[in-house]
Amino acid sequence: MAPLDVKLFGKAERFEDNPNVVQPDMFVMCDTDQVDEKGAYQGIPTLAVEILSPSTKSKDIMIKAKLYMDSGIQEYWVVDIEKQHLIIYHFEERDLKDQITFTSGDSAGSCIFEGLTIETARLF
């Protein structure tokens, strides 16, 4: 969970070629050996979650979604408390495979983690 830096580099080969540091609200990393001595993560999370706020909404939806996709993240969840919906972006090979919107009362499930589900009403 935030605050923990995640160093991403889009489609570049090295972080130095396209440095980006983000702090998703939550994320799942399956390669814990990629956390450096300063606590920064320099791997590719499998799943990132952002909870929208008015001040970061555009950045989270537009900029971060593309950066996560270009970096090789497989799934990105965007929680919009105000509109009471959850959008799950499923990426495959750095391209958008699917985008699913869930509203209050739905049961949302991960595209990549079997059994990971949440009743959206609990989010809102």
XYZ file of all heavy atoms in Angstrom, residues 62-96:
306
model
N -5.988 8.844 -17.225
C -5.352 9.010 -18.528
C -3.868 8.644 -18.525
O -3.433 7.789 -19.289
C -5.517 10.461 -19.006
C -6.946 10.949 -19.042
S -7.990 10.041 -20.182
C -7.344 10.632 -21.718
N -3.111 9.289 -17.687
C -1.658 9.146 -17.732
C -1.197 7.827 -17.123
O -0.432 7.078 -17.736
C -0.973 10.345 -17.039
C -1.323 11.626 -17.805
C 0.527 10.142 -16.944
C -0.923 12.906 -17.107
N -1.675 7.532 -15.920
C -1.217 6.311 -15.254
C -1.689 5.055 -15.974
O -0.957 4.074 -16.054
C -1.653 6.286 -13.795
C -0.803 7.159 -12.899
C -1.170 6.940 -11.444
C -0.304 7.748 -10.520
N -0.698 7.551 -9.109
N -2.910 5.060 -16.493
C -3.400 3.870 -17.201
C -2.482 3.526 -18.375
O -2.108 2.369 -18.562
C -4.832 4.082 -17.684
N -2.092 4.520 -19.138
C -1.193 4.269 -20.275
C 0.192 3.848 -19.799
O 0.788 2.921 -20.360
C -1.088 5.518 -21.155
C -0.095 5.318 -22.301
C -0.510 5.993 -23.541
C 0.449 5.902 -24.687
N 1.088 4.639 -24.931
N 0.700 4.502 -18.764
C 2.010 4.131 -18.234
C 1.999 2.697 -17.718
O 2.922 1.928 -17.988
C 2.428 5.097 -17.119
C 3.743 4.773 -16.417
C 4.920 4.798 -17.392
C 3.985 5.748 -15.273
N 0.961 2.331 -16.971
C 0.871 0.954 -16.467
C 0.814 -0.038 -17.619
O 1.480 -1.072 -17.605
C -0.350 0.797 -15.562
C -0.243 1.483 -14.222
C -1.366 1.998 -13.591
C 0.967 1.618 -13.560
C -1.286 2.617 -12.353
C 1.064 2.237 -12.326
C -0.072 2.733 -11.723
O 0.017 3.339 -10.496
N 0.008 0.255 -18.625
C -0.100 -0.634 -19.778
C 1.250 -0.759 -20.479
O 1.717 -1.866 -20.755
C -1.149 -0.116 -20.764
C -1.310 -0.980 -21.999
S -2.557 -0.367 -23.143
C -1.779 1.135 -23.738
N 1.889 0.373 -20.762
C 3.178 0.359 -21.461
C 4.269 -0.339 -20.659
O 5.215 -0.882 -21.227
C 3.633 1.786 -21.784
C 2.814 2.428 -22.888
O 2.036 1.718 -23.569
O 2.939 3.656 -23.066
N 4.139 -0.331 -19.326
C 5.157 -0.931 -18.466
C 4.983 -2.441 -18.306
O 5.867 -3.097 -17.768
C 5.137 -0.271 -17.088
O 5.496 1.085 -17.201
N 3.845 -2.969 -18.716
C 3.645 -4.420 -18.632
C 2.807 -4.895 -17.462
O 2.724 -6.101 -17.213
N 2.163 -3.969 -16.745
C 1.243 -4.382 -15.682
C 0.074 -5.105 -16.338
O -0.393 -4.722 -17.405
C 0.786 -3.151 -14.867
C 1.950 -2.667 -13.996
C -0.433 -3.468 -14.018
C 1.668 -1.414 -13.210
N -0.381 -6.163 -15.684
C -1.439 -6.969 -16.282
C -2.846 -6.474 -15.969
O -3.768 -6.683 -16.762
C -1.314 -8.419 -15.816
C -0.034 -9.076 -16.304
C 0.101 -10.477 -15.764
O -0.841 -11.264 -15.816
N 1.265 -10.801 -15.237
N -3.012 -5.809 -14.804
C -4.343 -5.383 -14.430
C -4.270 -4.079 -13.645
O -3.376 -3.895 -12.816
C -5.009 -6.475 -13.585
C -6.504 -6.350 -13.487
C -7.153 -7.634 -13.000
O -7.396 -8.535 -13.835
O -7.399 -7.737 -11.788
N -5.231 -3.186 -13.916
C -5.302 -1.874 -13.272
C -6.747 -1.629 -12.866
O -7.642 -1.667 -13.709
C -4.813 -0.807 -14.256
C -4.861 0.617 -13.763
C -4.471 0.965 -12.476
C -5.271 1.641 -14.606
C -4.495 2.289 -12.048
C -5.294 2.965 -14.188
C -4.908 3.277 -12.905
O -4.934 4.584 -12.472
N -6.957 -1.406 -11.570
C -8.291 -1.131 -11.048
C -8.384 0.347 -10.704
O -7.515 0.885 -10.021
C -8.569 -1.937 -9.783
C -8.696 -3.424 -9.958
C -8.176 -4.197 -10.954
C -9.367 -4.322 -9.084
N -8.476 -5.506 -10.747
C -9.209 -5.615 -9.601
C -10.069 -4.149 -7.893
C -9.744 -6.743 -8.990
C -10.604 -5.265 -7.279
C -10.452 -6.544 -7.822
N -9.456 0.998 -11.150
C -9.714 2.396 -10.837
C -11.038 2.456 -10.086
O -12.078 2.079 -10.622
C -9.785 3.264 -12.113
C -10.128 4.700 -11.765
C -8.476 3.185 -12.889
N -10.969 2.923 -8.837
C -12.149 3.012 -7.986
C -12.606 4.468 -7.947
O -11.855 5.347 -7.540
C -11.831 2.524 -6.546
C -13.073 2.628 -5.671
C -11.284 1.104 -6.567
N -13.836 4.706 -8.387
C -14.418 6.044 -8.362
C -15.532 6.053 -7.316
O -16.649 5.587 -7.571
C -14.962 6.411 -9.740
C -15.377 7.880 -9.844
O -15.774 8.465 -8.814
O -15.310 8.427 -10.959
N -15.201 6.546 -6.123
C -16.149 6.576 -5.014
C -17.330 7.486 -5.339
O -18.488 7.154 -5.069
C -15.453 7.066 -3.710
C -14.246 6.195 -3.366
C -16.444 7.153 -2.561
C -14.544 4.795 -2.957
N -17.036 8.633 -5.950
C -18.077 9.624 -6.249
C -19.140 9.063 -7.202
O -20.330 9.204 -6.972
C -17.427 10.865 -6.863
C -18.385 11.996 -7.130
C -17.659 13.198 -7.708
O -16.790 13.759 -7.001
O -17.957 13.553 -8.865
N -18.698 8.416 -8.277
C -19.644 7.868 -9.258
C -20.067 6.439 -8.925
O -20.889 5.863 -9.631
C -19.030 7.910 -10.656
C -18.872 9.311 -11.183
C -18.416 9.307 -12.610
C -18.320 10.735 -13.128
N -17.843 10.797 -14.502
N -19.469 5.884 -7.899
C -19.741 4.528 -7.443
C -19.571 3.496 -8.546
O -20.482 2.719 -8.851
C -21.126 4.436 -6.805
C -21.230 5.237 -5.533
C -22.431 4.878 -4.690
O -23.321 4.153 -5.111
N -22.445 5.370 -3.479
N -18.368 3.535 -9.121
C -18.052 2.465 -10.053
C -16.570 2.089 -9.971
O -15.740 2.851 -9.493
C -18.507 2.761 -11.490
C -17.790 3.864 -12.185
N -18.403 5.028 -12.536
C -16.510 3.992 -12.611
C -17.538 5.812 -13.159
N -16.388 5.217 -13.200
N -16.314 0.882 -10.407
C -14.969 0.318 -10.465
C -14.716 -0.081 -11.904
O -15.525 -0.777 -12.511
C -14.877 -0.909 -9.544
C -13.692 -1.850 -9.758
C -12.377 -1.181 -9.391
C -13.879 -3.129 -8.948
N -13.599 0.387 -12.442
C -13.207 0.000 -13.796
C -11.981 -0.895 -13.671
O -11.006 -0.539 -13.005
C -12.865 1.212 -14.675
C -14.043 2.180 -14.746
C -12.452 0.761 -16.080
C -13.710 3.505 -15.399
N -12.051 -2.048 -14.300
C -10.902 -2.950 -14.334
C -10.374 -2.971 -15.764
O -11.103 -3.310 -16.709
C -11.267 -4.372 -13.871
C -11.685 -4.350 -12.404
C -10.094 -5.324 -14.092
C -12.076 -5.703 -11.831
N -9.110 -2.578 -15.895
C -8.411 -2.647 -17.176
C -7.551 -3.897 -17.147
O -6.741 -4.077 -16.233
C -7.505 -1.427 -17.379
C -8.234 -0.108 -17.448
C -8.439 0.664 -16.310
C -8.717 0.377 -18.667
C -9.105 1.879 -16.365
C -9.386 1.592 -18.728
C -9.572 2.336 -17.583
O -10.230 3.538 -17.652
N -7.713 -4.742 -18.137
C -6.905 -5.957 -18.253
C -5.974 -5.781 -19.457
O -6.441 -5.588 -20.581
C -7.822 -7.173 -18.444
C -7.090 -8.457 -18.601
N -7.648 -9.541 -19.220
C -5.847 -8.857 -18.221
C -6.783 -10.543 -19.222
N -5.690 -10.137 -18.628
N -4.679 -5.797 -19.168
C -3.676 -5.611 -20.213
C -2.993 -6.942 -20.508
O -2.775 -7.751 -19.610
C -2.603 -4.600 -19.773
C -3.149 -3.253 -19.372
C -2.877 -2.718 -18.122
C -3.931 -2.516 -20.237
C -3.363 -1.472 -17.745
C -4.425 -1.265 -19.875
C -4.136 -0.744 -18.630
N -2.667 -7.118 -21.765
C -1.935 -8.312 -22.179
C -0.922 -7.897 -23.238
O -1.296 -7.254 -24.230
C -2.910 -9.343 -22.746
C -2.425 -10.758 -22.622
C -3.520 -11.741 -22.993
O -3.765 -11.945 -24.198
O -4.138 -12.281 -22.050
N 0.333 -8.232 -22.997
C 1.417 -7.881 -23.914
C 1.437 -6.389 -24.223
O 1.541 -5.974 -25.374
C 1.349 -8.724 -25.184
C 1.530 -10.201 -24.915
C 1.529 -11.048 -26.177
O 1.770 -10.505 -27.275
O 1.271 -12.246 -26.043
N 1.278 -5.587 -23.165
C 1.331 -4.122 -23.239
C 0.269 -3.514 -24.155
O 0.484 -2.505 -24.825
C 2.728 -3.655 -23.635
C 3.775 -4.100 -22.626
C 5.169 -3.727 -23.060
N 6.136 -4.414 -22.229
C 7.068 -3.810 -21.515
N 7.187 -2.521 -21.541
N 7.900 -4.519 -20.785
N -0.891 -4.161 -24.152
C -2.021 -3.671 -24.933
C -3.300 -3.927 -24.128
O -3.347 -4.851 -23.302
C -2.090 -4.390 -26.281
C -2.899 -3.638 -27.320
O -3.321 -2.498 -27.052
O -3.121 -4.199 -28.408
N -4.320 -3.133 -24.374
C -5.582 -3.294 -23.661
C -6.324 -4.506 -24.204
O -6.677 -4.561 -25.380
C -6.445 -2.034 -23.811
C -7.802 -2.057 -23.123
C -7.639 -2.154 -21.607
C -8.603 -0.824 -23.484
